[in-house]
Amino acid sequence: MKSARTEYLRPAAAEDVPALLALRAEAEGWLRAKGTDQWSDPETGERAITKWRASIDEGRAWVVVGERDKVLATVSRGPVDRDFWKDDDRPELALYLYKLMVAREASGRHLGARIIDWMSRLAAMEGRSWVRIDTWRTNTGLHAYYERLGFKYVRTEAPSHRRSGWLAQRPAGEVALPHDLLPIGSHGEHGGASTLLELPHQTAEARNSGGLDHKRGMTP
């Protein structure tokens, strides 16, 4: 008989930083092995990590943890990136998803899909229409992954100072795995949370600024 899963989602905390940096380093190595140049620029990486720390401090980063509170995945949300999304895109209608990463040891648990389902439900509760991402322009494997999860390609933007810019969105409220929702817990809970708690809403101030932070599913 299969043992019950214990993973759940909770806000990232300062003490999670070493585990998150290790997750990023693992992802960098995995991307190199896949033959993509994503995250190959050290300067871009440093800038992304600085923003990531800020998102943790500001409560915009989340982690999925398993047994003994081990970090298995992470995601952040954030404000619209004006290098990519324009006024005509109605940026206030979307939740912007960034820095989606899953540990190699947790592959096969559909954590990426389950995290996106959580973000989708959160977006719908906030009255938004879309969950949006921007990803590394040359990472076609990642583009295909998101398309399999229901994202529709919007367009590609290519500002000279950015290497991301493949834009896609998925309708808010769509759930790919309705029978496998991630429970929500708080920092310090071990062994998982038994029920899905009410999803948090962003503040009116953040809503008026177009969202929170972001750094995309496997992008800088």
Side-chain angles (χ1 to χ4, degrees):
M1 181 175 171
K2 253 186 171 179
S3 57
R5 283 178 170 162
T6 59
E7 63 259 16
Y8 67 96
L9 189 70
R10 64 161 172 78
E15 50 266 45
D16 294 316
V17 168
L20 290 174
L21 293 180
L23 191 61
R24 162 101 187 192
E26 180 187 58
E28 289 173 348
W30 181 75
L31 287 165
R32 282 194 298 272
K34 297 283 282 185
T36 175
D37 65 349
Q38 184 169 328
W39 290 351
S40 60
D41 181 349
E43 183 181 348
T44 299
E46 283 302 314
R47 187 165 60 246
I49 289 168
T50 298
K51 289 182 179 180
W52 198 7
R53 289 178 182 270
S55 70
I56 294 169
D57 292 342
E58 294 164 13
R60 297 181 278 107
W62 290 72
V63 291
V64 175
V65 296
E67 293 180 359
R68 295 178 295 281
D69 213 36
K70 183 172 183 179
V71 172
L72 300 174
T74 185
V75 70
S76 297
R77 59 170 296 176
V80 57
D81 192 323
R82 286 297 190 163
D83 280 342
F84 305 132
W85 301 99
K86 313 304 180 186
D87 288 345
D88 289 347
D89 296 314
R90 300 287 305 277
E92 72 280 0
L93 295 182
L95 182 155
Y96 296 87
L97 181 154
Y98 302 97
K99 290 190 176 69
L100 174 58
M101 283 180 272
V102 177
R104 293 298 92 208
E105 69 175 88
S107 62
R109 302 189 200 182
H110 306 293
L111 288 183
R114 295 164 72 199
I115 289 169
I116 293 169
D117 281 353
W118 173 72
M119 283 287 200
S120 179
R121 296 177 65 230
L122 178 57
M125 287 185 67
E126 293 181 349
R128 301 182 187 276
S129 301
W130 306 102
V131 175
R132 286 177 175 162
I133 57 171
D134 67 85
T135 74
W136 202 264
R137 294 192 295 268
T138 59
N139 193 340
T140 56
L142 185 60
H143 305 165
Y145 169 78
Y146 279 116
E147 288 175 329
R148 287 195 298 273
L149 293 179
F151 282 85
K152 302 299 183 186
Y153 172 71
V154 176
R155 65 178 180 274
T156 298
E157 296 281 349
S160 59
H161 62 295
R162 302 291 297 273
R163 300 181 74 176
S164 188
W166 185 88
L167 309 183
Q169 60 188 17
R170 189 174 100 169
E174 274 194 3
V175 177
L177 300 172
H179 303 298
D180 202 7
L181 299 175
L182 276 170
I184 311 299
S186 60
H187 186 60
E189 292 184 21
H190 297 273
S194 59
T195 58
L196 184 67
L197 305 180
E198 182 178 357
L199 295 174
H201 292 262
Q202 69 184 60
T203 64
E205 179 184 358
R207 204 161 42 239
N208 291 338
S209 69
L212 298 131
D213 164 62
H214 126 144
K215 259 4 178 180
R216 36 234 157 238
M218 288 285 200
T219 70

